[in-house]
Every structure is written in C-alpha cells, then in structure tokens.
Amino acid sequence: MATLSIDDLDLRGRRVLCRVDFNVPLDSDDGATTVADDTRIRAALPTIRKIIADGGKAILMSHLGRPKGEPDPTLSLRPVADYLDDLLDGPVHFCEDTVGDRARTMVHNLPEGGVLLLENTRFNPGEKANDDAFARQLAELADVYVNDAFGTAHRAHASTEGVTHHVPRAAMGYLVAKEIEVLSKVLDAPDAPFVTVLGGAKVSDKIGVIENLIGTVDHILVGGAMSYTFMKALGQQTGSSRVEEDKLDQAKSLYEQAEGTLQLPVDHVVATAFSADAPHRVTQGEIPEGEMGLDIGPATVEAYREKLLGAKTIVWNGPMGVFEMEPFAKGTFAIAETLAEATDAGALTIVGGGDSVAAITQAGYAETVSHVSTGGGAMLTFLEGETLPGIAALSQK
Ligand code: ADP
Ligand code: MG
C-alpha cells in the first residue's frame, strides 16, 4: 500500500482542490501589505504548475496566522494571491469567501488551467474544529483533493483531514511527497553514522523525538536552552539559565536511556542577563550563580563538528543558542556551516523548525543542505513515529 500521489490523478478539466501552506509572514509597511518571505509559496509551485499544465482547475486553500474563527482583514490571503499572480504566468483569482455561493460561482467560472485562491480557511470556526459540515462545504468545490501542506499535516483540521472523507480521491502533492520520502528514509533506514543535533527553547518539544530515535541514532548532540534542563537533571549547576523544572525527572531518565549517545555541551557562552549588551564570557562545565547560558562554547562546537563531519545522516532541529542576538549566534552558525560541509562530503542533511530554518537561511546554506523541511511541528511529529492525520487520511493507490 502506498499513498496516492498527484501523478496518479487525471486532472484535465477537473476541479482540483489543493490544500497548500501559504501561512507566510506578511509585511505591512506604509499601508500596503506584502509577503515578507515567499519560501512556502515557492515550495508549492511544482504542484500548482502540474495542475495548470494538465489543464486542471487549481482551487487553492490555506490558513494564514491565527484568526479566531472569524474574518480578520489583517490576515486576508489577498496579498498572497497578488504575489502568486506575479510568480505564475497567468492570472490568479481570489475569492473573498472560503466556501458558499460566491466560491461555487468562481470555481464554476474558472477555466481549465486557471488558478483560484480561496480566503483564509481559519476565518471559519469549522476549520480547526474539523467540523463535518464545513468539510462538506469545502468538498463541494472539488472533483479531487490534493494535500501539499506538509506544515499543517500534523493537524486534523477540516481542510487537511475532514475534507478527505467527502471527496472521491485524495492525493499528496509533490512537496508532501518529498518531505515524506526524506523523513521516512531517516526513520526507517538512516545510513550510519546517524547524528541528530537538537536545540532550541524547550526540551519538552523534543522528548518524543529523542525517545523514538534512541536505538537508531549514533549521537544526539544537545544545545540551546534544553541543555540546561539536562544539566540540572544530572545535578549540575545551571545558574539562572532557562530550565524546565517540571521536566527534570523525564530528562534524567532520557539521558540514562540514551546510554552515552546523548552529549551535552562542555562549555558555554554565559551572560549576566538575557540581553545582547550584557557582559558575557566563555565558561567550562557548570554555570555559576548569577549567569545564564545563552550559547554553546567553542570547545563544544569543535566536539560536535567532529561527530558531524563523520556522519552519513544528520537531522538538525533547534538553534544552539539565542542566535537572534549577535553575541550568542556563533554556535548556531558554526553548526549551520558544518552541516553544509558534511553535505559536500556526501551526508544526507536535513534541517527543520521555523527558527532553525531561519538560521540556516541567514547563514547562507539553505541551498547547500540536502533538505530544508517546511514543517516544524509536522517534522517533529513524524520523527516521534506518530502518524500525521493529514497524510493518513489520503487515499491509497
Ligand atoms: P525551531 O523553531 O527551530 O523548532 P525552537 O522554537 O525550539 O526552534 O527554539 C528556538 C528558540 O530557542 C530561539 O528563539 C532561541 O533564541 C531560543 N534559545 C536557544 N538557546 C537558548 C538559550 N540558551 N536560552 C534561551 N533561549 C534559547
Ligand atoms: Mg520556533
């Protein structure tokens, strides 16, 4: 059994309802709202172009931001429709409603090869509630359904899950197919040595991933604030570093379960306050009272580099420090550079997570690494070994 793909569908003349991830950052300077980062829009282009080329009617839908189940003009997808119109050679129509009469009429009038973007799915309370009536209204607009929104595949919403129950066939688009292919390889058959770098704000986000990877992973290299929860759990001093007090027992037992594969930083960049201007220095081992860890230190960078340059498979999620502040960005950028080197040396390298992707992009290596995942939460859910409702709901071949 395999998930149905867009390549298995006959699209000519069909109404192809396609869930994309156009949840992009917007910029609203001097009255005009524009797209601030088009990565997610570009990621959906292969699927959109396929529908156009095959003479299907591309009916695109997405959420944007967090409207409270009602229309919010600041979160309209209209600027995205305008942006997509510029990217594609041909008009992109925009419907101010997501479902209902106006949407039906615009879909009806759409020519073969035409593109229509519906308004923000989350303007309707039925979206997040996965309401069956709303899912049916969406399905009314479709002859076939395609999901190409990997970033929301871990959510069972009306446009990602509910709708699939009311269309004859539901397939995955090219972006989802690529994400699943790369991440399945990592889960099921990673080439050894397999090394994962985990950092970021909270250990609680990553417990499930660590549990699931123990056994196949050769090294778990830990950085970011989650390091201090592990350190404290092992009885070490962490000063005023960020620690999740309610996760100490779990961190300790994870560390023991990992049997030496989980490595913690051996030195840290510490500061007296959470500020780019605070006095800072490098310290070895434990973190004294009155200081907080805000980045991994140079000896840790060296140790992690050595492990990474010997790896054949690398997964990175979570920055090594507060990379938004220049004095605490070195560790994160050093890891980004090392992933690029490892890629050149033949390793499969994967980066996921909103902040991690921002970091690898800032470092200039987003094009160098093997795969930049468009899903943060979806990637972590997949790596936890959990099923993604938006993928599980698709038709089988
Ligand atoms: P991602 O978005 O890649 O999944 P996370 O959201 O888990 O990553 O974590 C990123 C955040 O973690 C960043 O905002 C960064 O500033 C913060 N962070 C990293 N290290 C530390 C630290 N030592 N102390 C406080 N915050 C940290
Ligand atoms: Mg984040």
Side-chain angles (χ1 to χ4, degrees):
M1 294 278 270
T3 305
L4 193 72
S5 141
I6 186 169
D7 283 330
D8 303 317
L9 299 174
D10 180 9
L11 303 176
R12 183 157 302 281
R14 299 275 172 83
R15 297 172 298 159
V16 186
L17 181 65
C18 184
R19 178 49 156 109
V20 288
D21 181 4
F22 284 172
N23 182 29
V24 294
L26 296 176
D27 229 344
S28 16
D29 280 349
D30 28 273
T33 303
T34 53
V35 172
D37 181 336
D38 68 357
T39 311
R40 285 176 170 168
I41 302 176
R42 287 184 183 277
L45 286 179
T47 292
I48 298 169
R49 290 209 165 105
K50 160 79 174 168
I51 301 170
I52 297 171
D54 283 12
K57 302 176 178 191
I59 303 146
L60 310 178
M61 61 176 169
S62 176
H63 78 284
L64 174 63
R66 295 179 175 177
K68 299 192 167 49
E70 57 186 52
D72 174 346
T74 65
L75 294 173
S76 170
L77 277 167
R78 186 184 284 280
V80 178
D82 294 340
Y83 194 92
L84 186 62
D85 187 284
D86 287 343
L87 280 183
L88 295 169
D89 289 330
V92 172
H93 304 275
F94 179 70
C95 180
E96 286 170 26
D97 295 327
T98 313
V99 294
D101 286 343
R102 187 150 42 175
R104 268 198 301 273
T105 305
M106 289 191 77
V107 167
H108 181 80
N109 293 336
L110 197 65
E112 292 184 5
V115 180
L116 170 69
L117 177 60
L118 302 171
E119 184 55 286
N120 196 338
T121 51
R122 287 195 192 168
F123 283 2
N124 192 304
E127 166 70 333
K128 285 179 81 171
N130 198 8
D131 173 59
D132 196 56
F134 182 58
R136 280 175 196 274
Q137 283 183 296
L138 291 171
E140 268 176 27
L141 306 174
D143 295 317
V144 289
Y145 169 82
V146 172
N147 189 347
D148 211 24
F150 184 71
T152 40
H154 60 313
R155 305 271 181 233
H157 292 167
S159 68
T160 61
E161 203 274 343
V163 64
T164 63
H165 302 294
H166 306 295
V167 290
R169 309 238 279 167
M172 59 182 172
Y174 293 126
L175 172 62
V176 164
K178 183 174 178 228
E179 294 269 10
I180 299 290
E181 185 194 324
V182 174
L183 295 174
S184 300
K185 162 87 182 142
V186 167
L187 266 198
D188 304 337
D191 289 334
F194 173 23
V195 181
T196 182
V197 188
L198 295 176
K202 293 191 294 184
V203 72
S204 46
D205 293 341
K206 274 116 210 192
I207 287 171
V209 174
I210 295 173
E211 275 175 343
N212 196 44
L213 293 185
I214 288 175
T216 54
V217 76
D218 296 287
H219 302 286
I220 303 170
L221 310 177
V222 172
M226 63 187 272
S227 316
Y228 316 118
T229 302
F230 277 111
M231 284 172 62
K232 186 150 187 187
L234 299 178
Q236 299 175 22
Q237 299 297 317
T238 54
S240 48
S241 305
R242 186 166 172 171
V243 167
E244 280 175 276
E245 298 288 344
D246 61 335
K247 292 290 180 290
L248 294 176
D249 290 346
Q250 231 172 335
K252 183 152 193 268
S253 99
L254 262 188
Y255 185 85
E256 283 161 3
Q257 246 178 285
E259 292 180 333
T261 56
L262 194 150
Q263 292 190 33
L264 296 174
V266 292
D267 62 347
H268 318 271
V269 179
V270 295
T272 49
F274 191 84
S275 157
D277 312 321
H280 58 272
R281 65 186 182 103
V282 171
T283 180
Q284 314 295 315
E286 303 188 37
I287 298 174
E289 206 54 47
E291 290 181 300
M292 62 178 76
L294 294 176
D295 194 9
I296 57 175
T300 306
V301 167
E302 260 326 296
Y304 288 5
R305 250 182 87 76
E306 194 195 315
K307 292 288 188 304
L308 290 168
L309 292 178
K312 281 275 178 290
T313 308
I314 301 173
V315 175
W316 178 27
N317 171 261
M320 298 291 96
V322 185
F323 76 104
E324 298 92 335
M325 299 179 194
E326 197 269 330
F328 316 116
K330 283 197 193 74
T332 300
F333 289 137
I335 295 297
E337 188 181 348
T338 306
L339 252 70
E341 278 178 58
T343 317
D344 288 340
L348 176 72
T349 53
I350 297 161
V351 183
D355 295 293
S356 310
V357 171
I360 195 107
T361 304
Q362 273 176 44
Y365 298 118
E367 307 290 325
T368 313
V369 293
S370 314
H371 183 68
V372 174
S373 179
T374 53
M379 181 178 101
L380 291 176
T381 305
F382 194 95
L383 293 177
E384 284 167 8
E386 301 292 327
T387 49
L388 304 177
I391 310 296
L394 299 175
S395 315
Q396 298 295 312
K397 290 200 194 200

